[in-house]
Amino acid sequence: MHYKQLSQQIFKKSSYLCVGLDSALDKIPSHLLKEKDPIFEFNKQIIDATIDFAVAYKPNIAFYEALGPSGWETLQKTIDYLPKDVFTIADAKRGDIGNTSQMYAKAFFESLNFDSVTVAPYMGSDSVKPFLTFEEKWVILLALTSNEGAQDFQFEELQNGKPLYEKVIEQSQNWGSHENMMYVIGATRNEQFAHIRQLIPKHFLLVPGVGAQGGSLKEISEIGLNKDGGLLVNSSRGIIYASSEKDFAKAAAQEARVLQEEMKVYLDQL
Amino acid sequence: MHYKQLSQQIFKKSSYLCVGLDSALDKIPSHLLKEKDPIFEFNKQIIDATIDFAVAYKPNIAFYEALGPSGWETLQKTIDYLPKDVFTIADAKRGDIGNTSQMYAKAFFESLNFDSVTVAPYMGSDSVKPFLTFEEKWVILLALTSNEGAQDFQFEELQNGKPLYEKVIEQSQNWGSHENMMYVIGATRNEQFAHIRQLIPKHFLLVPGVGAQGGSLKEISEIGLNKDGGLLVNSSRGIIYASSEKDFAKAAAQEARVLQEEMKVYLDQL
């Protein structure tokens, strides 16, 4: 998907919501376990219920990999089920030497036809660039994550006084553009968010951590939105596990709608 | 596998060779393509041919993932085929927030029963620790990799004058011990190798980059070996693609034997 198409979808749906499909057998409503492929059935109903309120879907690859070969089939069915006008993210956090990253890129962009994949920066340029050679496909690079462990290395101050995550953002400007790269910036990083937005005014930011992890949609939106949208705010458990009963899809729709309606307010203010 | 068992295997076989199973359909000998599962047939013959010379095997997960569900089945068959007394490494370079890393750990340690998995450090403690809660299982943490992109961030000097990779090694000492953690240190990093060995005298180091990438087995061994062995030196393409003809397994055995015989010399000098 092109930058422009994604931007158009955001204004068409008045939403920059990404629904995270962290779907696990021990978390989905028990009545689905009698289905042939319970996870796919769950994803299908979640997608149907939330499609009017979301512009992006993000299967968390670990949850499918943990199921072995059948999990990979479930993932394939899920991506095939998603309409072509939503932006799809393989949340895989891959990254390896060049010929290996090339194989991961093929797996997610060709076999599975995702629009984007999350990539870890530690191994540097040749671990990221192979993902950037595919037309209309995106790298979403980890920069400043929402988890506690981000403190261990991402905030480390370098000799020039800047933190590591800023070096990651700056260095990676040489690898791609705002038309094929996004960055993961946690919603719990308000203090850093404004400066990051100044550094990369045009790039889309994928923002996890709203809700359960304590990030504020209002603050992130006020700082992070740009004239093209420029944000994808993810919610996973808050939406898909809003209810563990037979009404789970309706409850998911309700949670997604609440977020979308709040997003509409911020988009209308642009 | 326990630290002691691995050490015993090294001295029993006079080898610290790891064979990297980067097996790809467009690289294996063409006569195998008529097999029902060409990659498994290739791996099987490679394993049979090299088992006397190697103590560890390292499937590169990207190469299996790129094949979709059937690749995952091939991976399962390969790990099931490997004898219990070899050390198995899922070269996956995973790492995500806690509950997601937990799922990856289950995938590789429970479903597939690998002894170890390679993990990327960027997301910090809670992305690594879930892998350390499994008995007799190992994290192999990326520290200083052999690829060119390592220059981008791993060598960045921090405020205390130390490079980032050293901070990764130091910080992660709080997460595990030499009995459940190893580090990836590229064979192309001779200059840094001696200092790293001083920092972590007891830890096993997984060393890629000998051969094709220019690292010297002699230099690495002289600096890196300790009384328990302490090294796993990987060779992938140099062994498995030593020949692209019907004699590929014999050629692989020959390459593995040459490395093992050189390793025996260094082990005998300990």
Side-chain angles (χ1 to χ4, degrees):
Chain A
M1 185 180 285
H2 278 304
Y3 182 93
K4 269 191 187 168
Q5 286 172 283
L6 177 54
S7 176
Q8 281 163 359
Q9 282 299 313
I10 286 173
F11 288 98
K12 188 177 155 193
K13 286 188 171 173
S14 293
S15 169
Y16 39 98
L17 177 62
C18 174
V19 175
L21 297 172
D22 296 21
S23 313
L25 282 174
D26 61 348
K27 295 264 177 56
I28 64 173
S30 55
H31 74 281
L32 292 176
L33 298 177
K34 67 176 194 295
E35 300 287 336
K36 199 181 159 203
D37 184 344
I39 297 289
F40 176 63
E41 189 56 36
F42 177 76
N43 286 350
K44 196 162 148 305
Q45 291 193 39
I46 291 285
I47 293 165
D48 288 346
T50 57
I51 193 75
D52 290 342
F53 314 117
V55 292
Y57 287 84
K58 179 173 77 62
N60 184 333
I61 305 305
F63 287 70
Y64 301 85
E65 232 170 69
L67 301 172
S70 75
W72 217 249
E73 277 162 21
T74 301
L75 182 61
Q76 177 85 63
K77 281 194 277 180
T78 301
I79 189 85
D80 290 346
Y81 186 74
L82 283 162
K84 290 291 157 266
D85 61 0
V86 299
F87 187 76
T88 53
I89 302 168
D91 197 1
K93 310 219 167 59
R94 299 300 195 256
D96 206 314
I97 62 170
N99 74 322
T100 302
S101 274
Q102 184 71 24
M103 295 301 270
Y104 280 126
K106 280 185 185 183
F108 292 112
F109 292 156
E110 290 184 352
S111 306
L112 289 163
N113 203 23
F114 274 96
D115 290 311
S116 66
V117 60
T118 56
V119 176
Y122 192 72
M123 291 182 71
S125 58
D126 55 300
S127 69
V128 178
K129 285 180 180 171
F131 292 99
L132 292 167
T133 61
F134 291 74
E135 283 276 327
E136 295 190 42
K137 302 291 185 183
W138 296 72
V139 161
I140 307 183
L141 195 65
L142 300 185
L144 184 53
T145 58
S146 58
N147 64 318
E148 201 188 314
Q151 300 290 345
D152 286 317
F153 309 120
Q154 297 169 26
F155 282 98
E156 270 302 310
E157 218 173 277
L158 309 180
Q159 289 285 332
N160 61 9
K162 293 178 183 176
L164 176 63
Y165 71 82
E166 205 170 311
K167 168 84 183 176
V168 168
I169 291 171
E170 286 179 355
Q171 187 85 350
S172 59
Q173 297 306 301
N174 304 317
W175 309 341
S177 74
H178 68 282
E179 295 195 316
N180 63 359
M181 287 191 82
M182 303 185 183
Y183 294 90
V184 174
I185 310 290
T188 51
R189 305 301 174 194
N190 275 3
E191 255 177 78
Q192 293 77 31
F193 219 100
H195 181 56
I196 291 170
R197 187 36 107 195
Q198 282 181 324
L199 285 176
I200 39 173
K202 289 166 106 178
H203 284 75
F204 270 92
L205 310 177
L206 172 63
V207 184
V210 163
Q213 291 182 60
S216 152
L217 177 58
K218 182 168 191 288
E219 288 175 35
I220 292 306
S221 301
E222 283 170 356
I223 306 168
L225 282 175
N226 65 24
K227 69 174 178 46
D228 299 321
L231 287 182
L232 292 173
V233 171
N234 183 74
S235 175
S236 302
R237 288 167 277 182
I239 291 176
I240 70 173
Y241 299 136
S243 160
S244 57
E245 306 298 326
K246 289 199 172 167
D247 67 346
F248 74 97
K250 204 175 156 188
Q254 177 56 22
E255 288 299 317
R257 180 198 294 272
V258 166
L259 288 168
Q260 181 270 323
E261 285 177 351
E262 189 178 341
M263 288 173 176
K264 184 176 189 312
V265 174
Y266 307 134
L267 285 170
D268 288 346
Q269 286 166 0
L270 286 179
Chain B
M1 185 181 284
H2 277 306
Y3 182 92
K4 270 192 186 168
Q5 287 173 282
L6 177 56
S7 176
Q8 281 164 357
Q9 283 299 313
I10 286 172
F11 289 98
K12 188 176 157 197
K13 287 188 170 173
S14 292
S15 169
Y16 39 98
L17 177 62
C18 174
V19 176
L21 298 171
D22 296 19
S23 313
L25 283 174
D26 61 348
K27 295 264 178 56
I28 64 173
S30 55
H31 74 280
L32 292 176
L33 298 178
K34 67 176 192 296
E35 300 288 336
K36 200 181 157 202
D37 184 342
I39 297 289
F40 176 62
E41 188 56 37
F42 177 77
N43 286 349
K44 195 163 151 301
Q45 292 192 40
I46 291 285
I47 293 164
D48 288 347
T50 58
I51 194 76
D52 290 342
F53 314 116
V55 292
Y57 287 83
K58 179 173 78 61
N60 184 331
I61 305 306
F63 287 71
Y64 301 84
E65 232 171 68
L67 300 172
S70 75
W72 217 249
E73 277 162 21
T74 301
L75 182 61
Q76 177 84 63
K77 281 193 278 181
T78 301
I79 189 85
D80 290 346
Y81 186 74
L82 283 162
K84 291 290 156 269
D85 61 1
V86 300
F87 187 75
T88 53
I89 302 169
D91 196 1
K93 310 219 167 61
R94 300 298 195 258
D96 207 313
I97 61 170
N99 74 323
T100 302
S101 275
Q102 185 69 24
M103 295 300 271
Y104 281 126
K106 280 187 185 182
F108 291 111
F109 292 156
E110 290 185 353
S111 306
L112 289 163
N113 203 22
F114 274 96
D115 290 310
S116 65
V117 61
T118 56
V119 176
Y122 192 73
M123 291 183 69
S125 57
D126 55 300
S127 69
V128 177
K129 285 180 180 171
F131 292 98
L132 292 167
T133 60
F134 292 73
E135 283 277 326
E136 293 190 45
K137 303 291 184 181
W138 297 71
V139 161
I140 308 183
L141 196 64
L142 300 184
L144 185 53
T145 58
S146 58
N147 64 318
E148 202 190 313
Q151 301 290 346
D152 286 317
F153 309 120
Q154 296 169 28
F155 282 98
E156 270 303 310
E157 218 173 277
L158 309 181
Q159 288 285 333
N160 61 8
K162 294 179 182 175
L164 176 63
Y165 71 82
E166 204 171 311
K167 168 83 184 179
V168 167
I169 291 170
E170 286 179 355
Q171 187 84 351
S172 58
Q173 297 306 300
N174 305 317
W175 309 340
S177 75
H178 68 282
E179 294 194 317
N180 62 0
M181 287 191 82
M182 302 184 183
Y183 294 90
V184 174
I185 310 290
T188 51
R189 307 299 174 194
N190 274 2
E191 256 178 76
Q192 294 77 31
F193 218 100
H195 180 56
I196 291 170
R197 185 38 105 196
Q198 282 181 325
L199 286 176
I200 40 174
K202 289 167 107 178
H203 283 75
F204 270 92
L205 309 177
L206 172 62
V207 184
V210 163
Q213 290 181 61
S216 151
L217 176 58
K218 183 169 191 288
E219 289 177 34
I220 291 307
S221 301
E222 283 171 356
I223 306 169
L225 283 174
N226 65 23
K227 69 173 178 46
D228 299 321
L231 287 183
L232 292 173
V233 171
N234 183 73
S235 176
S236 302
R237 288 167 278 182
I239 291 177
I240 68 173
Y241 299 136
S243 161
S244 56
E245 306 297 326
K246 288 199 172 166
D247 67 345
F248 73 96
K250 205 174 155 189
Q254 177 56 22
E255 289 298 317
R257 180 198 294 270
V258 166
L259 287 167
Q260 181 270 322
E261 285 178 351
E262 190 179 339
M263 288 174 176
K264 182 174 189 313
V265 175
Y266 308 134
L267 284 169
D268 286 348
Q269 287 167 1
L270 284 179

